[in-house]
Amino acid sequence: MPERISAVATAPAPTDHSGILTWVEEIAELTAPERVVFCDGSREEWDRLTGELVAKGTFVPLAAKPNSFWCVSDPDDVARVEDRTFICSEHESDAGPTNNWVDPVDMRTVMTEHYRGAMAGRTMYVIAYCMGPLDAGEPKYGVQITDSEYVAVSMQIMTRSGAQVWEKLTQGTEFVKCLHSVGMPLTDGHADVAWPCDKTKYIAHFPESRTIWSYGSGYGGNALLGKKCFALRIASVLGRDEGWLAEHMLILKLTSPQGRTHYIAAAFPSSCGKTNLAMLEPTLPGWKAETVGDDIAWMRFGADGRLYAVNPEAGFFGVAPGTGAKTNPNAIATIEAGNSIFTNTARTDNGDAWWEGLTEQPPAHLVDWHGEDWTPASGTAAAHPNSRYCTPIEQCPSVAPEWNDPRGVPISAIFFGGRRATTIPLVAESFDWAHGVFTASVLSSETTAAAAGKVGVVRRDPMAMLPFLGYHVGDYFAHWLAMGAREGAQLPKIFQVNWFRRSADGKFLWPGFGDNVRVLKWALERLEGTAEAVRTPIGFVPTSEALDLDGLGAGYRGLIDAALDVDVDEWVRELESIDEWYATIGGNRLPDALRAELAALKMRLAEA
Ligand code: GDP
Ligand code: PGA
Ligand code: MN
Ligand code: MN
């Protein structure tokens, strides 16, 4: 082991991978931690670190759930920070118009000064992890250095990590270098706080050198670097280079009453329904839904020409508010099994986590996400709208046995959706792959609390990947088109959905959640050629008879036509903002095929 690490390491390094050891040495030199711990991912390690977090006042053990902890963050560290997220490609044009770009040399210079001495008085953890099944053909490894115990225990839930991965990381094995510091050194008696972080934050990605540097935040999407940073931003670049797709998608297995199984993938922006759809309890009798993944899908072609999807994660980092026994019983059962971390929810007097939507009536007294006393009379939300539970996928009652299959599952249909009060119908089927890619390229949604900034503003979020693209959005569209043009490809059908359309008085036109199976059923029947549809300018929309509405709440039956409506005037208005969006992409990078799709849509709307 190199000298500087052996001087401070608590145990011999579990690897002789010289690339890892040299890098750890270099970072230890720079950040000056008090000690270095190579994480083994064991239960003993979990107990030790959660114990330290309790002692520090970060974690409160929850009496009502086994092995579970509650914590609140700094009030300024509650979500992803898109304006502090950077794609530092060598050429600015490779980052494209949707990313913040800084020259990689400049970014390294600036961030190096932030990292210098940043871990003083703290422990530096070295976490080896694998995104996706360990026995995959080409497993994708990461090594994360962090000075946060919260991050170390969360990575145990969210990834396959520890001794089993160290064993595989033999000399020369490629890995993504992930460096994270909360940016609060404990120099000269500087006391620690429950949620250390820095006002200044950087979430920087260096695609060419497969490196991630994160500084100043402890929030999941900014700090658990396997998730958004690696599995989406860096992986999207790997996918471009290697001919596959890294997408912001849930993966769901659906079996019909006749025993026919289909796997589907669906991309919705953050806080727009992925986790809920991934765990739905179908309201249609005889249908079975099983969960493969709830946030990220890596998809590559199999020998049979079909697109196979793998969930690279091992846990759920789910939005708490709105999650209840009625809306998502599987999520509730998953967290009831314990071994979970709750961040920025409220806490009950009997030692449980609580949030808006968990129960119809709030408890009479809570500790809210600011750590203050709360009663129903307080008039504030007790849980932050982006409060999260972090829990192992294996505890989910609806988990599909295939979730850990290195071959992945063959995808029959892809759904793109967002949160739109108007315009976008409940469901529409694309005419073909290119039209589907076009539809996804202009996907839009109202912004949510999952990212810092204004909530409720409509923005274009192509493929629900706007905050997660590691390269130029125009090249990304070209990559999607090229995937579809691959020889022998047996492509999934593409649909767009909108669970969030509202009536003029602001009420949802569709009940959502378990009733979404009705939409999925229609889509699968379209694949099988048995469901009716009307051709509209934007795609095939079900006739109201074609949707199975048996047992649908009476209040929603009368709203179905409004939910399915394709209003030409609304769409003509929509075209303006689509034009604006395409204009930002830049003429030479926007594929001609998409420009042609837009022209064709305009024509169809003009003729409608
Ligand atoms: P994710 O961040 O994309 O995984 O989204 P979630 O599944 O966690 O849902 C985010 C929020 O949207 C939660 O408050 C959910 O209760 C709510 N939500 C999810 N699905 C639906 C739906 O079908 N209809 C409605 N109205 N709300 C939903
Ligand atoms: P979400 O994941 O998509 O479940 O909200 C976290 C995020 O996107 O920040
Ligand atoms: Mn997400
Ligand atoms: Mn989710």
Side-chain angles (χ1 to χ4, degrees):
M1 206 161 41
E3 241 173 80
R4 163 82 195 152
I5 328 176
S6 35
V8 289
T10 52
T15 181
D16 37 20
H17 189 305
S18 58
I20 296 176
L21 292 175
T22 315
W23 173 59
V24 170
E25 169 92 352
E26 178 200 321
I27 300 303
E29 227 24 274
L30 173 65
T31 58
E34 201 165 285
R35 67 188 81 73
V36 175
V37 170
F38 289 87
C39 292
D40 61 13
S42 64
R43 176 63 197 248
E44 180 279 326
E45 181 176 274
W46 167 277
D47 289 340
R48 179 164 44 82
L49 296 184
T50 54
E52 283 177 30
L53 286 160
V54 171
K56 280 211 295 195
T58 308
F59 273 6
V60 175
L62 289 177
K65 286 184 169 66
N67 190 31
S68 296
F69 301 90
W70 174 86
C71 66
V72 294
S73 76
D74 183 291
D76 291 325
D77 197 22
V78 295
R80 288 183 289 99
V81 281
E82 294 181 0
D83 61 333
R84 302 300 303 164
T85 300
F86 301 88
I87 300 298
C88 303
S89 47
E90 275 155 27
H91 301 286
E92 180 170 9
S93 66
D94 287 335
T98 61
N99 287 307
N100 302 308
W101 178 84
V102 170
D103 179 274
V105 175
D106 295 347
M107 184 57 97
R108 281 180 197 272
T109 306
V110 170
M111 287 189 75
T112 296
E113 290 321 304
H114 283 288
Y115 282 130
R116 196 176 300 287
M119 297 191 187
R122 295 192 185 277
T123 303
M124 176 170 123
Y125 299 93
V126 186
I127 302 159
Y129 66 94
C130 180
M131 296 312 284
L134 278 163
D135 47 355
E138 291 170 63
K140 300 287 186 201
Y141 298 108
V143 177
Q144 177 160 351
I145 292 177
T146 179
D147 53 6
S148 161
E149 289 78 21
Y150 171 87
V151 167
V153 292
S154 300
M155 287 293 283
Q156 265 204 26
I157 297 175
M158 293 305 297
T159 67
R160 295 143 176 104
S161 71
Q164 49 179 354
V165 180
W166 284 122
E167 224 167 83
K168 297 239 177 190
L169 273 173
T170 49
Q171 179 64 21
T173 308
E174 277 184 40
F175 67 100
V176 174
K177 284 183 184 153
C178 307
L179 170 57
H180 170 252
S181 171
V182 293
M184 188 186 270
L186 300 174
T187 34
D188 319 315
H190 201 300
D192 206 357
V193 296
W195 187 275
C197 62
D198 192 12
K199 266 200 185 55
T200 306
K201 297 175 182 19
Y202 288 94
I203 320 297
H205 307 71
F206 304 89
E208 285 90 356
S209 60
R210 319 295 198 218
T211 301
I212 300 158
W213 278 11
S214 168
Y215 175 88
S217 170
Y219 172 76
N222 303 327
L224 311 179
L225 302 185
K227 194 175 184 45
K228 305 302 185 180
C229 300
F230 178 170
L232 288 176
R233 298 195 191 97
I234 295 293
S236 64
V237 175
L238 298 175
R240 175 198 64 188
D241 296 348
E242 299 170 4
W244 51 281
L245 293 166
E247 298 297 327
H248 192 203
M249 291 179 181
L250 67 97
I251 309 165
L252 175 68
K253 176 184 180 185
L254 263 181
T255 307
S256 73
Q258 295 74 33
R260 283 197 299 277
T261 289
H262 282 287
Y263 300 91
I264 64 160
F268 312 150
S270 301
S271 221
C272 291
K274 288 181 302 302
T275 300
N276 277 271
L277 191 64
M279 299 180 192
L280 95 161
E281 279 293 308
T283 54
L284 288 175
W287 283 80
K288 186 172 180 192
E290 292 165 87
T291 311
V292 179
D294 84 319
D295 195 47
I296 300 176
W298 284 359
M299 300 192 289
R300 53 180 88 226
F301 283 109
D304 58 359
R306 298 190 69 187
L307 208 46
Y308 284 74
V310 163
N311 171 13
E313 301 189 279
F316 305 127
F317 183 66
V319 175
T323 307
K326 273 216 192 94
T327 55
N328 193 345
N330 285 312
I332 297 296
T334 310
I335 58 184
E336 278 306 316
N339 313 308
S340 303
I341 300 167
F342 300 85
T343 306
N344 289 334
T345 69
R347 174 165 58 90
T348 68
D349 293 347
N350 62 341
D352 207 349
W354 191 88
W355 49 80
E356 280 69 23
L358 178 64
T359 54
E360 255 161 56
Q361 289 304 317
H365 176 261
L366 291 165
V367 175
D368 72 8
W369 76 274
H370 292 287
E372 315 224 322
D373 286 314
W374 184 96
T375 71
S378 298
T380 55
H384 186 276
N386 192 39
S387 54
R388 298 269 173 169
Y389 57 81
C390 180
T391 193
I393 185 170
E394 273 181 310
Q395 293 180 184
C396 183
S398 65
V399 72
E402 301 89 317
W403 85 271
N404 202 21
D405 187 336
R407 290 168 303 184
V409 295
I411 298 298
S412 301
I414 299 178
F415 296 77
F416 290 98
R419 202 179 264 275
R420 287 294 306 269
T422 67
T423 318
I424 314 293
L426 179 61
V427 58
E429 174 196 337
S430 299
F431 299 124
D432 55 27
W433 183 263
H435 178 240
V437 172
F438 164 73
T439 302
S441 78
V442 301
L443 186 69
S444 58
S445 188
E446 293 149 20
T447 51
T448 68
K454 253 185 138 172
V455 167
V457 184
V458 174
R459 70 172 183 185
R460 295 293 138 189
D461 191 342
M463 284 78 168
M465 281 287 281
L466 180 71
F468 308 121
L469 269 177
Y471 62 103
H472 195 294
V473 64
D475 295 356
Y476 171 69
F477 293 161
H479 182 50
W480 264 86
L481 292 167
M483 291 288 286
R486 187 189 148 113
E487 179 138 5
Q490 302 285 316
L491 297 170
K493 258 193 198 296
I494 298 179
F495 297 83
Q496 63 177 312
V497 294
N498 179 18
W499 314 143
F500 299 94
R501 200 170 189 181
R502 292 174 193 256
S503 61
D505 58 358
K507 295 215 182 68
F508 286 124
L509 294 172
W510 178 249
F513 302 104
D515 283 313
N516 291 333
V517 72
R518 300 171 190 279
V519 172
L520 303 181
K521 179 188 176 194
W522 175 80
L524 297 185
E525 287 171 352
R526 290 294 294 169
L527 301 179
E528 294 167 352
T530 57
E532 294 290 323
V534 274
R535 194 186 164 98
T536 78
I538 65 152
F540 295 108
V541 173
T543 58
S544 43
E545 299 77 53
L547 270 187
D548 187 342
L549 301 181
D550 242 23
L552 184 76
Y556 287 104
R557 280 180 173 272
L559 303 177
I560 195 69
D561 288 337
L564 290 171
D565 186 37
V566 176
D567 183 301
V568 172
D569 294 334
E570 278 184 343
W571 272 94
V572 168
R573 278 198 294 281
E574 188 79 0
L575 285 175
E576 282 173 33
S577 95
I578 293 175
D579 276 333
E580 272 170 35
W581 157 232
Y582 266 17
T584 64
I585 296 177
N588 53 347
R589 298 292 260 270
L590 179 67
D592 288 338
L594 296 188
R595 208 188 304 281
E597 286 291 340
L598 176 56
L601 171 63
K602 286 180 177 171
M603 195 89 99
R604 291 192 299 269
L605 285 167
E607 287 165 1

